[in-house]
Amino acid sequence: MTDKKEPKILKVGDSRTVGMYFARHPREEYRTTVKDDGYYAKVGEGVRWLGENQTAITKQAENADVIVVSMGVNDIDNYKEYAKKMQELANGPWKGKQVYFTAVNPVGPGYKGYQKYNKRIDAFNLYMQKNLPDNVHYIDTNTYFKQNNCQFSRDGLHYTNSTNKKIDGFITAEVNKNYTAMVMMKDAENAQELVDYQEGKSLQPDKSKEEDKTVGDNNLAMVTIRQGRNGR
């Protein structure tokens, strides 16, 4: 069996992912773009930026086992473009990686028209759940946010440091759990393939132990039965 290990994760996103990074690195001076320590994110971006930067993201993900994309709040009506782009990436340059897409989390009272915008967020998330390809896993951070006392910052779009840490930790935990399960599943499949191979080999006749069995007597034709090992 493969030893249990935590996968290397690259988290890709917009300002909310930038916020998660700085919640983990509070002593660093704030900047609008981060491209290190498992994060690749830029404030204010959306699906167009994801496409334009996919080569650079793929290069940074060379040593990663998992890529997590957390985007959509800045271009909430582009859900079809996101589903298409995720399919393209998962089946193209990110093939061989575990790929995840997280739900867009809600906006709060500080965000103008937040109730209507949250309905658009819900529509976005529903579409992504139904239309992501099978090899892109969905993490429902939106439900987690609502059920775990998460808090908005004053602008209603972003979150407090403690909330950013919670969401970041939840994403990591979900990835780790799923990664371990998938590794165990792959181990089981490999083990079964080995068993099938060994059983198939054992059913082949072993010429070194074959023996001729004579039926009848000298006045009858000689019939030879090849008798080999039978069983495992």
Side-chain angles (χ1 to χ4, degrees):
M1 297 290 289
T2 301
D3 294 336
K4 182 178 178 181
K5 71 182 185 74
E6 292 186 353
K8 294 181 180 179
I9 306 171
L10 178 64
K11 295 172 181 173
V12 179
D14 49 36
S15 58
R16 289 175 166 183
T17 303
V18 171
M20 290 191 293
Y21 174 86
F22 283 106
R24 297 291 183 189
H25 302 81
R27 294 183 180 181
E28 291 190 20
E29 184 178 353
Y30 182 83
R31 56 190 185 276
T32 59
T33 302
V34 293
K35 297 180 181 180
D36 49 34
D37 196 27
Y39 297 80
Y40 194 108
K42 186 175 181 181
V43 169
E45 298 297 348
V47 69
R48 181 177 177 180
W49 173 88
L50 181 62
E52 292 172 347
N53 287 267
Q54 67 185 52
T55 300
I57 294 168
T58 301
K59 183 173 178 59
Q60 185 162 331
E62 283 179 352
N63 296 320
D65 303 297
V66 176
I67 302 174
V68 180
V69 177
S70 302
M71 303 190 77
V73 72
N74 295 314
D75 50 349
I76 200 64
D77 297 319
N78 287 342
Y79 40 83
K80 291 183 180 179
E81 288 81 357
Y82 274 105
K84 182 179 179 180
K85 177 54 67 176
M86 293 307 299
Q87 182 175 25
E88 174 190 323
L89 291 170
N91 294 318
W94 297 354
K95 192 172 183 179
K97 310 282 187 186
Q98 283 190 23
V99 181
Y100 293 77
F101 192 90
T102 71
V104 174
N105 296 328
V107 294
Y111 190 85
K112 185 177 180 179
Y114 75 98
Q115 292 174 319
K116 289 183 178 180
Y117 203 77
N118 279 333
K119 290 181 179 179
R120 293 163 69 187
I121 288 175
D122 291 340
F124 179 101
N125 290 336
L126 182 61
Y127 184 89
M128 296 303 288
Q129 280 183 283
K130 290 183 176 181
N131 291 279
L132 283 172
D134 292 338
N135 56 344
V136 176
H137 310 282
Y138 183 82
I139 300 178
D140 189 2
T141 52
N142 188 290
T143 297
Y144 174 84
F145 183 97
K146 294 172 181 176
Q147 294 178 350
N148 286 273
N149 193 34
C150 292
Q151 298 177 333
F152 299 99
S153 61
R154 290 182 180 180
D155 66 6
L157 177 63
H158 302 102
Y159 308 126
T160 62
N161 276 348
S162 61
T163 290
N164 282 328
K165 283 184 180 179
K166 280 184 179 181
I167 296 171
D168 187 62
F170 174 70
I171 292 170
T172 299
E174 289 296 295
V175 168
N176 289 343
K177 180 172 63 178
N178 194 51
Y179 184 83
T180 300
M182 291 183 72
V183 168
M184 291 176 67
M185 185 181 299
K186 185 63 177 177
D187 282 342
E189 290 173 355
N190 290 339
Q192 186 59 51
E193 287 176 3
L194 179 60
V195 169
D196 292 343
Y197 173 77
Q198 291 174 333
E199 289 183 344
K201 290 284 286 185
S202 69
L203 293 175
Q204 298 300 318
D206 186 344
K207 292 184 179 181
S208 66
K209 295 190 177 182
E210 289 178 357
E211 59 183 27
D212 290 338
K213 211 175 172 187
T214 303
V215 180
D217 55 34
N218 292 334
N219 296 324
L220 298 175
M222 301 297 294
V223 180
T224 302
I225 300 176
R226 305 180 71 188
Q227 184 178 41
R229 287 185 303 166
N230 186 22
R232 299 182 181 181

